[in-house]
Each structure stands twice: as C-alpha cells, then as structure tokens.
Amino acid sequence: MKNLIFTLSLVLVASFVGGNAEGATLFVLEGNASREPIRMSIEDIATIQPSAIAGSVITTSVEGLAQARLYDVQKINGEMPLLGPANKRVLVLPVGRGKVKVHVRIKSPTSNSLQIETYEFEVK
C-alpha cells in the first residue's frame, strides 16, 4: 500500500512540476540498458524492469536531478500475482533538467557476482 501511495504521489508531483503535462510520456524499459541516453522531458516518467533471478537483491542509485525508487507491482482483477524479481520495477522521476544516470545493482543469490546496469537519460 505504501508503494502505491508513493507511486501516485510521484505522478501527482510530476504533473504539478510540469504544469500542463498532457503530452507526457511513460517510458517502459526492459532488459539491458541502451548505449544511447534516453531523451525525455521533465514531465515524463520512466520505469525500468530489472532482469534477475529469484532471490536476487536489487538496489538503485541516481546521479543527477532525478529520483528513483524500487517498488513492487501487484496485479488487480483476479490475475495471477507476479512472483520474485518479475514484480520489481524502478520508477524514475526527473526533478530537474540535465543528464541523469540510474544505476540498478543486481546481487545474485547463487554466486557473489554483482551485475550493474546503468541507464542514462537526458532531460530537457
């Protein structure tokens, strides 16, 4: 419930910060990070779906004027719930213009390996 409230509050903040955000875009990023930065406006929001195996520990950090938070996705209306890392998303909300890097760290439960995916954004 806290995650839902946080997500809704971020969407509301984005609409207030951006003013009239009728043309805003929601970027849905899955899989490996692109080599090119994603160009977005300050009204836009991005979600990242990390690719990990069950039992992985996922953390995020941000460089630049944005907020990123890991949250769980729950399906509604009788659909099967998502399990393991399939239910994790990172919400990226720009709070200023400029370059932003979001680092998603995935610690595997079966080894000591640490995978780091870096997503780059250029906020106009």
Side-chain angles (χ1 to χ4, degrees), residues 4-112:
L4 175 63
I5 293 170
F6 176 77
T7 302
L8 292 175
S9 65
L10 284 180
V11 171
L12 286 173
V13 167
S15 65
F16 290 131
V17 169
N20 187 1
E22 291 178 13
T25 301
L26 171 64
F27 292 92
V28 178
L29 309 170
E30 296 177 349
N32 295 332
S34 171
R35 294 178 188 228
E36 295 294 319
I38 297 159
R39 290 182 174 83
M40 61 190 304
S41 70
I42 197 162
E43 294 91 9
D44 298 337
I45 298 173
T47 63
I48 300 168
Q49 180 177 351
S51 178
I53 63 172
S56 296
V57 176
I58 302 170
T59 58
T60 63
S61 62
V62 178
E63 294 177 28
L65 296 174
Q67 295 178 348
R69 179 168 176 176
L70 186 69
Y71 67 99
D72 293 332
V73 175
Q74 295 296 321
K75 291 191 174 188
I76 302 175
N77 296 332
E79 293 185 29
M80 291 294 292
L82 298 170
L83 301 174
N87 75 344
K88 301 292 185 192
R89 301 291 186 281
V90 177
L91 180 69
V92 180
L93 176 68
V95 294
R97 290 174 171 76
K99 294 186 179 194
V100 173
K101 289 184 181 180
V102 177
H103 305 286
V104 178
R105 292 174 182 81
I106 302 168
K107 170 82 171 69
S108 172
T110 59
S111 69
N112 288 332

